[in-house]
Amino acid sequence: MPREISADLTAEGLKFAVVVSRFNDLITEQLLRGCIDCLTRHGAADKAITVIRVPGAFEIPVAVAAAARAKKHDAVIALGAVIRGETPHNEHIAAEVTKGIAQVALETGVPVTLGVLTPNTLEQAVERSGVKRGNKGAEAAASAIEMANLMKKI
Ligand code: INI
């Protein structure tokens, strides 16, 4: 049998930074709610969660980088909402955020999870922030817990 490494979803004793953008805060506040709910339900203490607010999704990577380099958190969670059609440069923003976040994770070795919605419409954003299609903030939180535990095991 090959040796396998996988991790559980216990957040007890782990520390998290959550970087959340204010742009489209109708949506991002719901992502944050889902994220914190997931972390605490899995055992994270309130004082083990630091919420860092940035103006828009474009500013997420630099704050994620600062949080990861501080080496105070077991994982960093990025939350935002880039909605197509709000501005012609929305696609550039979405691409930069995704690339930037991935780069930080690879460079620092700190897991960073992506809870940035990139829907076509506000309605889709609402659906993915706790209404019909789950909550992307909670999904990003669960992935962060798993990755934080996994990195300790590898
Ligand atoms: N920021 C977002 O978080 N979502 C968006 O949909 C968005 N659009 O479409 O413009 C957006 N723009 C602001 C951007 O992230 C920066 O905050 C701004 O350009 C200042 O650097």
Side-chain angles (χ1 to χ4, degrees):
M1 274 288 271
R3 185 167 172 246
E4 231 179 74
I5 303 176
S6 62
D8 63 25
L9 290 177
T10 309
E12 236 170 275
L14 296 176
K15 295 197 190 92
F16 300 91
V18 185
V19 176
V20 56
S21 53
R22 280 192 299 269
F23 203 103
N24 291 324
D25 70 352
L26 177 79
I27 303 299
T28 60
E29 284 305 311
Q30 293 310 311
L31 297 176
L32 181 61
R33 181 188 55 75
C35 175
I36 291 176
D37 182 63
C38 178
L39 294 176
T40 53
R41 276 173 189 261
H42 285 89
D46 274 349
K47 62 176 181 353
I49 305 168
T50 304
V51 176
I52 301 165
R53 292 184 188 274
V54 295
F58 191 73
E59 285 74 36
I60 289 176
V62 70
V64 164
R69 290 196 189 111
K71 299 281 177 204
K72 290 182 195 157
H73 315 285
D74 296 291
V76 182
I77 301 158
L79 304 178
V82 183
I83 303 174
R84 186 191 278 264
E86 281 191 2
T87 139
H89 67 280
N90 75 299
E91 275 175 30
H92 302 295
I93 295 175
E96 287 309 313
V97 175
T98 312
K99 253 193 296 168
I101 289 173
Q103 195 182 326
V104 172
L106 290 174
E107 279 174 8
T108 62
V110 177
V112 182
T113 62
L114 183 66
V116 178
L117 293 173
T118 55
N120 291 323
T121 63
L122 178 62
E123 190 184 352
Q124 287 176 347
V126 170
E127 286 178 2
R128 292 167 196 171
S129 54
V131 178
K132 270 194 203 163
R133 291 172 191 267
N135 184 310
K136 184 92 176 161
E139 280 174 32
S143 298
I145 298 168
E146 184 172 343
M147 286 305 296
N149 285 320
L150 188 71
M151 296 308 283
K152 289 183 194 296
K153 283 186 158 186
I154 294 176

